[in-house]
Amino acid sequence: MYIPKDFSQTDFEAVKDFIAGSPLANIMTLNGDSVEICPAPLLWQVDEQNPLGYLMGHVAKVNPIVKIDAKNWKVVFTSQGHYISPNWYPTKAITHKEVPTWNYQSVIFSVTPQLITDATQIKQIVATMTDFFEHQLKQTNPSHEPWSLSDAPSDYINAMCRAIVGVKLTIHNFEAKFKLSQNKTLDNQQGVIDGLTQLQSATADNMATLINNLFKE
């Protein structure tokens, strides 16, 4: 991934925070002359044997990616990001030398896959992921009643788990690009924050917050 110096993110804690908030990834691996791509939510997990940890998730048992004998996969997380208008830069009114761009965050992991077919382990993966996402809903909406595996008949859960394969993706390295207007002057950064805030949308507010957090550093 091409990463200009201004946009390079090497803080792994920041990377973990990002993927926790944007957990839908694209898992990719070579399949002959083509690339097999599998969208799937993944969670980062601690690994005492590996400081970078591993990514955990599951995919359908019939998904072609689980039948590919590959020792190295790539996993890509990318945020929705937001369009940035040149009209938000104060300098545009003076020089007119500004162009549109798109702010976003993206992380690429190089991983070694381990497929998990044990029923007990698969059920644990599903339970862990469910608890994580239900807890997020509860934080957003305190009145939300979290769902758990025990809310459904056990034979139904067992049948659902037989249709999936767990994945443990051990991380070897990562590349992270956080493009958040770092290459702009402070007044232009503030102009972007103001422009985004005026849109009054959750996506725009999130981008404004990301830029503002950098702006304050």
Side-chain angles (χ1 to χ4, degrees):
M1 176 168 59
Y2 170 61
I3 308 178
K5 183 178 179 181
D6 285 338
F7 306 141
S8 177
Q9 177 56 266
T10 58
D11 182 354
F12 194 54
E13 293 301 316
V15 168
K16 288 192 296 183
D17 288 343
F18 163 62
I19 65 175
S22 300
L24 183 61
N26 279 311
I27 305 170
M28 299 183 290
T29 189
L30 288 175
N31 185 12
D33 294 331
S34 63
V35 177
E36 191 67 43
I37 302 175
C38 172
L42 299 172
L43 297 182
W44 182 84
Q45 300 288 289
V46 173
D47 185 345
E48 294 181 357
Q49 306 302 317
N50 178 17
L52 292 179
Y54 67 93
L55 300 170
M56 175 187 71
H58 57 81
V59 299
K61 187 176 289 187
V62 296
N63 194 305
I65 202 166
V66 304
K67 304 190 185 335
I68 299 172
D69 184 17
K71 295 182 179 179
N72 295 292
W73 290 2
K74 296 287 188 180
V75 176
V76 181
F77 293 83
T78 301
S79 69
Q80 179 179 350
H82 206 285
Y83 173 78
I84 306 300
S85 171
N87 286 333
W88 294 340
Y89 301 128
T91 56
K92 179 265 182 185
I94 301 171
T95 67
H96 300 283
K97 294 180 180 180
E98 296 291 350
V99 293
T101 192
W102 196 277
N103 278 4
Y104 62 92
Q105 296 166 285
S106 185
V107 180
I108 300 177
F109 291 99
S110 297
V111 302
T112 296
Q114 176 186 345
L115 302 181
I116 298 170
T117 57
D118 177 77
T120 300
Q121 292 184 60
I122 290 175
K123 193 177 295 186
Q124 183 58 52
I125 289 172
V126 174
T128 299
M129 298 187 72
T130 298
D131 290 345
F132 177 83
F133 292 118
E134 289 289 331
H135 179 67
Q136 283 193 327
L137 292 180
K138 183 71 173 178
Q139 286 184 313
T140 303
N141 177 15
S143 65
H144 174 71
E145 291 294 332
W147 183 90
S148 67
L149 266 63
S150 61
D151 289 344
S154 58
D155 57 345
Y156 173 77
I157 294 297
N158 291 336
M160 293 295 98
C161 287
R162 285 195 294 270
I164 62 177
V165 175
V167 292
K168 177 181 178 180
L169 309 175
T170 300
I171 301 170
H172 296 305
N173 57 63
F174 70 94
E175 302 173 273
K177 181 178 183 179
F178 287 11
K179 183 175 180 292
L180 304 171
S181 298
Q182 299 98 316
N183 60 332
K184 297 300 180 181
T185 60
L186 293 180
D187 58 338
N188 280 345
Q189 288 179 1
Q190 186 61 58
V192 171
I193 293 169
D194 293 342
L196 289 165
T197 301
Q198 290 172 12
L199 297 178
Q200 297 184 339
S201 77
T203 305
D205 287 347
N206 180 64
M207 179 55 66
T209 298
L210 291 171
I211 298 171
N212 190 49
N213 288 342
L214 289 175
F215 182 67
K216 291 179 177 179
E217 290 181 356

